[in-house]
């Protein structure tokens, strides 16, 4: 196990080195950290109640008292924005992590073991990849008797594990005949141990890239559900902000300050995560390195 | 083979989900009607079950058989919001609008996106790359319905050069006349741009990355050693080979395009399947939601099939049989 820890530590250090060298991924990292800070510090940054009864004046443009203005009943939009960051990031990171665990385990094992198990699993993966994701998520959310951010997270994981599983499987499959894997096999290592201590460290950067994309997809799906009015109860999120903006006539009233921040935040967090990927990509595929 | 598997999976999902619900969809609607002040006799409730083609007392395999028979007759049940219109009638009415919107959006994003990606890969230097790549990544990260929001608030509500909602204005008569066609185009421009701009970012990035890979291949090195111009290498040597993975990418992206279309149509109140599904969701119209999911699946399968045919036509090594 000492070897695995060393390999992981080595990978981690080389990842950090690439981050510092690659300015694109550094920008991405800074954007993501900024949003994480906004979300974590929400209770200290929001002077007003984001939902419930409001006392402020309605339809206010941005001012010192309300940095992002107020909505149609006078809720402070900045408070909604920072609490909304929590929902987006919680669902995004949790779903991303769960897709990771599922995709890494199933993908690497399936690729290494091969045979009928692999064939069967890949058939299921292909079906999940072809089914229309957002309509399926909507269908499940509408028909499931449970609600709340955790259910949304689980539904997103169920509908989006397949892509990452297939990528990991393809990589793992390409490693199964390599000499060091055969050597490990000959010295009596089991499938599980070979998968996680021999194959996994080699494809760690691809796993990280997959994680970034899963998080982006999950944040987008969560916002889409909330925008369609499928948010549960009093949830405040970037998606519900846009839902209320549309249903209460922000377009006709020209209240751009209600519309711009949540959508721009969704674009920026997605951008930040994808830019972080350039560091992982560079580690995994030296061909993409800009010389 | 895969397409059949996906279709069967979609059927099973559509068949199982309503039966897993606590109570059942018809019961929910009966309760809603009673709450709305209607008195329903036991016969009327029985009639409701017959109308929705749903009978929880039959064994599950009989229910499944009935469900398939109904489907083969093109019967997807009755809508609850648009009662007594049938789900298949509603979908047939709305589907052409969505196909119109999505196919134009895909064409105007994929074709230029592929060419931009192809030539961007030919111009690889650090300066170009450090502006071009982040810009494209930012564009493809924008939620397309939010872009539609911005277009509406700026071009429709403020400048008033584009309409705020719908597929054509009520002053024109639908039919093969110029006024109608112009009105349809006028209404379609903003939704198409919202879908296409975001999608194009992804196609450019994908094509560029594939090209960078192909440009490193041996045959490109040979072409260079022969002294062929960079332009010729990019267009006929590397470009032709990088095009194939980009067609696969096109087929894979169809799911995302149709999904994003739900939100864009909702923003523009565009009378396609996407907006219909948003209406169905907010009105808890279960039969309609199930029917639309099936249609989305079929649309994606058809798109996949077309991509396969295109692929086989372009690459002689691939045979469909």
């Amino acid at each position: 196990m000492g070897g695995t820890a060393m390999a992981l530590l080595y990978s981690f250090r080389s990842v950090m080195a690439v981050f510092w060298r690659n300015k694109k991924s550094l920008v991405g990292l800074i954007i993501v950290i900024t949003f994480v800070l906004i979300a974590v510090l929400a209770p200290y940054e929001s002077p007003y109640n984001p939902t419930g009864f409001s006392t402020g004046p309605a339809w206010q443009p941005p001012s010192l008292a309300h940095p992002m203005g107020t909505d149609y009943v006078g809720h402070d939009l900045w408070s909604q924005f920072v609490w909304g960051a929590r929902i987006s990031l919680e669902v995004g990171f949790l779903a991303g992590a769960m897709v990771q665990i599922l995709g890494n385990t199933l993908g690497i094992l399936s690729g290494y073991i091969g045979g009928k198990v692999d064939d069967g699993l890949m058939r299921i993966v292909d079906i999940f990849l072809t089914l229309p994701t957002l309509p399926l998520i909507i269908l499940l959310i509408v028909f499931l008797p449970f609600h709340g951010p955790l259910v949304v997270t689980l539904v997103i994981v169920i509908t989006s594990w397949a892509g990452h599983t297939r990528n990991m499987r393809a990589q793992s499959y390409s490693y199964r005949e390599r000499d060091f894997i055969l050597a490990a096999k000959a010295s009596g290592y089991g499938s599980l141990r070979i998968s996680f201590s021999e194959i996994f460290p080699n494809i760690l950067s691809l796993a990280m890239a997959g994680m970034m994309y899963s998080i982006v997809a999950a944040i987008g799906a969560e916002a889409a559900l909330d925008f369609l009015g499928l948010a549960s109860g009093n949830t405040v999120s970037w998606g519900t902000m846009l839902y209320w903006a549309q249903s209460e006539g922000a377009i006709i009233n020209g209240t751009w300050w209600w519309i711009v921040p949540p959508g721009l935040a969704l674009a920026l967090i997605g951008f930040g995560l994808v830019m972080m990927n350039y560091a992982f990509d560079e580690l995994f595929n030296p061909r993409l390195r800009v010389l | 083979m895969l397409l059949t598997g996906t279709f069967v999976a979609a059927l099973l999902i559509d068949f199982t989900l309503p039966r897993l619900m606590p109570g059942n969809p018809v019961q929910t609607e009966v309760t809603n009607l009673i709450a709305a002040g209607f008195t329903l006799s036991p016969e009327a409730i029985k009639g409701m079950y017959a109308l929705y083609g749903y009978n929880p007392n039959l064994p599950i395999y009989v229910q499944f058989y009935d469900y398939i028979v109904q489907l083969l007759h093109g019967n997807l049940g009755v809508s609850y919001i648009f009662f007594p219109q049938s789900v298949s009638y509603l979908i047939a009415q709305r589907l052409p609008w969505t196909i119109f919107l999505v196919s134009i959006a895909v064409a105007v994003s994929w074709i230029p996106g592929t060419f931009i990606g192809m030539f961007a890969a030919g111009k690889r230097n650090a300066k170009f790359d450090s502006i071009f790549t982040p810009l494209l990544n930012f564009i493809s990260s924008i939620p397309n319905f939010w872009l539609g929001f911005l277009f509406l608030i700026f071009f429709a509500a403020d400048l008033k050069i584009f309409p705020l909602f719908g597929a054509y204005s009520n002053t024109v008569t639908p039919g093969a006349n110029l006024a109608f066609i112009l009105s349809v185009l006028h209404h379609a421009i903003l939704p198409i741009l919202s879908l296409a701009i975001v999608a194009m970012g992804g196609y450019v990035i994908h094509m560029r990355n594939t090209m960078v890979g192909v440009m490193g291949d041996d045959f490109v090195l040979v072409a260079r050693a022969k002294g062929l111009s960079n332009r010729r290498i990019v267009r006929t040597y590397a470009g032709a080979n990088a095009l194939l993975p980009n067609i696969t990418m096109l087929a894979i992206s169809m799911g995302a395009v149709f999904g994003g279309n739900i939100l864009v149509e909702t923003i523009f109140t565009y009378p396609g399947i996407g907006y219909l599904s948003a209406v169905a969701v907010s009105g808890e119209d279960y039969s309609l939601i199930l029917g639309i999911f099936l249609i989305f699946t079929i649309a994606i399968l058809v798109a996949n099939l077309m991509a396969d045919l295109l692929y086989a036509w372009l690459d002689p090594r691939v045979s469909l049989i």
Side-chain angles (χ1 to χ4, degrees), chain A residues 24 126-127 130 132 134 138-139 143 227 230 246 251-252 259-260 263-264 267 270-271 274-275 278 287 289-290, chain B residues 2 6 9 21 124 129 133-134 137-138 141 145-146 149 152 157 164 213 217 259 266-267 281 286 289 293 300:
Chain A
K24 280 185 282 200
D126 282 340
I127 288 173
T130 330
L134 186 60
I138 292 172
L139 195 68
F143 277 95
F227 171 67
L230 285 168
Q246 199 211 8
I251 294 171
I252 307 287
I259 294 168
V260 172
L264 193 62
F271 173 68
V274 172
M275 292 309 272
Y278 277 90
R287 257 184 175 180
R289 260 178 223 175
V290 179
Chain B
L2 162 65
T6 308
M21 270 179 95
R124 284 185 68 215
D129 198 61
T133 317
N137 275 308
F138 182 73
S141 303
F145 67 101
W146 177 68
F149 236 137
L152 275 179
L164 278 163
D217 275 347
T266 306
I267 280 284
V281 164
Y286 298 114
I289 297 171
F293 174 66
I300 282 163

Side-chain angles (χ1 to χ4, degrees), chain A residues 211-231:
Chain A
M211 176 124 141
M212 297 300 120
Y213 282 112
S214 318
I215 297 172
V216 173
I219 289 176
E222 194 277 333
L225 286 176
D226 285 353
F227 171 67
L228 288 172
L230 285 168

Side-chain angles (χ1 to χ4, degrees), chain B residues 238-271:
Chain B
N241 281 286
L243 201 58
L244 295 170
N246 227 37
I247 290 172
T248 312
M249 159 77 176
L250 176 66
I252 293 171
S253 73
M254 289 312 289
V257 173
F258 273 102
N261 183 53
I262 296 178
L263 309 170
V264 170
E265 281 187 10
T266 306
I267 280 284
F268 287 95
T269 328
Y270 202 83

Side-chain angles (χ1 to χ4, degrees), chain A residues 24 122-123 125-140 142-145 166 213 216 220 223-225 227-230 238-239 241-247 250-272 274-275 278 281 285 287-291, chain B residues 1-3 5-7 9-10 13-14 17-18 20-22 25 124-126 129-130 133-135 137-139 141-143 145-146 149-150 152-153 156-158 164 205 208-209 212-214 216-217 252 255 258-260 262-264 266-269 277-278 281-282 284 286-287 289-290 292-293 296-297 300-301 304:
Chain A
K24 280 185 282 200
M122 283 310 113
R123 196 147 289 173
V125 160
D126 282 340
I127 288 173
F128 269 93
L129 280 175
T130 330
L131 285 172
T133 312
L134 186 60
L136 183 56
I137 293 176
I138 292 172
L139 195 68
L140 288 169
V142 167
F143 277 95
L144 286 177
R166 182 146 90 171
Y213 282 112
V216 173
L225 286 176
F227 171 67
L228 288 172
L230 285 168
W238 294 336
M241 286 175 81
L242 291 171
Y243 169 76
W244 289 111
Q246 199 211 8
S247 58
I251 294 171
I252 307 287
N253 287 310
T255 50
W256 53 268
W257 58 87
W258 195 355
I259 294 168
V260 172
L264 193 62
L266 285 167
L268 279 174
I269 186 86
F271 173 68
V274 172
M275 292 309 272
Y278 277 90
D281 259 2
N285 185 1
R287 257 184 175 180
L288 290 175
R289 260 178 223 175
V290 179
L291 298 173
Chain B
M1 189 57 217
L2 162 65
L3 302 189
T6 308
F7 187 64
I13 291 168
D14 256 15
L17 275 182
L20 285 178
M21 270 179 95
R124 284 185 68 215
N125 63 61
D129 198 61
S130 65
T133 317
L135 182 71
N137 275 308
F138 182 73
I139 290 173
S141 303
I142 297 171
F145 67 101
W146 177 68
F149 236 137
L150 296 185
L152 275 179
I153 204 165
D158 194 24
L164 278 163
I205 294 169
R208 182 188 166 276
N209 286 350
V212 169
V214 174
D217 275 347
I252 293 171
F258 273 102
I262 296 178
L263 309 170
V264 170
T266 306
I267 280 284
F268 287 95
T269 328
S277 52
V281 164
S282 60
E284 298 188 345
Y286 298 114
S287 328
I289 297 171
L290 292 169
I292 290 173
F293 174 66
F296 270 124
T297 309
I300 282 163
L301 295 182
N304 269 281

